C-alpha cells in the first residue's frame, strides 16, 4: 500500500478547492492529459470524471469515481484503468498551522494491478505520488497567489532550482 504525504502552504479550504474541481484533475494527477466531469456533481459520492492518458501515439480514456467524500477533509476515489483494473486512492487533508498536510494512500482493488502488485510496483507508485503531490502543491500555491493569498514557499526564502 503506497502512502505518502506533503505539506502545502495553503489552507485546507484552498487545497480542497482544487480537489473539488474535476476539471483540474489533469493539472495535478500524473499521467493525465485532460479531465472533465461526466456524471454527478464532483466531488459528491458517485460523481465521475473521465480523463485521457497519453502514451506516445496511444490515447486511453479512463474514469475515476468518487466513493467517499467528507468535504474539506477526505476524498476517496476509485480509478479505473481498463485491463489493469481499479485502484483506491484516498486523499486526506489535515490542518497544520496555516498550512495543509495532505496524505495520499493508494492500493489496487481488482484486476491485473492487484495480481502483479509487488515491491517494484510499490516503488513506482511512490515516485508517481511524489510528483503528483508536488504538482498539487504548485497548483494550490499558484491559485493562492492569483487570488491574493499567501505567497508560495519559493517566495519565503526556499531556493527553487534554476529554470523552475
Amino acid at each position: 500500500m503506497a502512502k505518502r504525504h506533503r505539506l502545502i502552504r495553503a489552507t485546507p479550504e484552498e487545497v480542497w478547492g482544487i480537489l473539488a474541481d474535476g476539471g483540474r484533475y489533469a493539472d495535478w494527477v500524473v499521467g493525465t492529459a485532460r479531465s472533465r466531469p461526466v456524471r454527478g456533481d464532483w466531488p459528491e459520492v458517485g460523481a465521475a470524471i473521465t480523463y485521457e492518458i497519453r502514451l506516445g501515439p496511444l490515447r486511453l480514456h479512463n474514469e475515476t469515481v468518487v466513493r467517499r467524500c467528507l468535504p474539506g477533509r477526505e476524498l476517496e476515489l476509485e480509478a479505473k484503468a481498463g485491463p489493469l483494473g481499479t485502484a483506491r486512492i484516498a486523499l486526506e487533508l489535515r490542518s497544520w498551522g496555516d498550512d495543509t498536510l495532505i496524505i495520499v494512500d493508494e492500493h489496487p482493488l481488482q484486476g491485473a494491478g492487484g495480481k502483479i502488485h509487488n515491491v517494484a510496483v510499490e516503488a513506482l507508485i511512490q515516485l508517481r505520488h511524489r510528483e503528483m503531490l508536488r504538482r498539487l502543491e504548485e497548483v494550490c500555491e499558484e491559485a493562492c497567489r492569483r487570488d491574493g493569498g499567501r505567497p508560495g514557499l519559493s517566495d519565503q526564502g526556499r531556493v527553487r532550482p534554476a529554470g523552475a
Side-chain angles (χ1 to χ4, degrees), residues 117-136:
H117 193 91
N118 57 36
V119 175
V121 171
E122 189 79 13
L124 290 174
I125 293 172
Q126 286 288 345
L127 290 173
R128 181 175 171 266
H129 285 178
R130 180 183 302 165
E131 177 61 14
M132 181 179 76
L133 291 174
R134 185 199 65 76
R135 288 181 185 185
L136 180 60

Side-chain angles (χ1 to χ4, degrees), residues 20-90:
D21 184 348
R24 304 234 27 209
Y25 189 80
D27 293 345
W28 56 274
V29 175
V30 174
T32 58
R34 284 187 283 174
S35 63
R36 65 180 172 80
V38 291
R39 239 183 0 267
D41 190 14
W42 186 269
E44 291 178 2
V45 173
I49 57 172
T50 186
Y51 52 93
E52 181 179 87
I53 296 174
R54 295 180 184 169
L55 301 168
L58 186 62
R59 303 280 191 260
L60 303 172
H61 295 274
N62 289 324
E63 183 177 273
T64 294
V65 179
V66 177
R67 295 298 183 203
R68 184 169 179 263
C69 179
L70 296 173
R73 293 183 24 219
E74 294 180 25
L75 183 60
E76 289 192 35
L77 308 171
E78 182 176 357
K80 300 176 180 182
L84 291 177
T86 65
R88 171 193 171 261
I89 303 164

Side-chain angles (χ1 to χ4, degrees), residues 107-121:
H107 64 272
L109 287 174
Q110 52 190 328
K115 292 177 183 159
I116 63 168
H117 193 91
N118 57 36
V119 175
V121 171

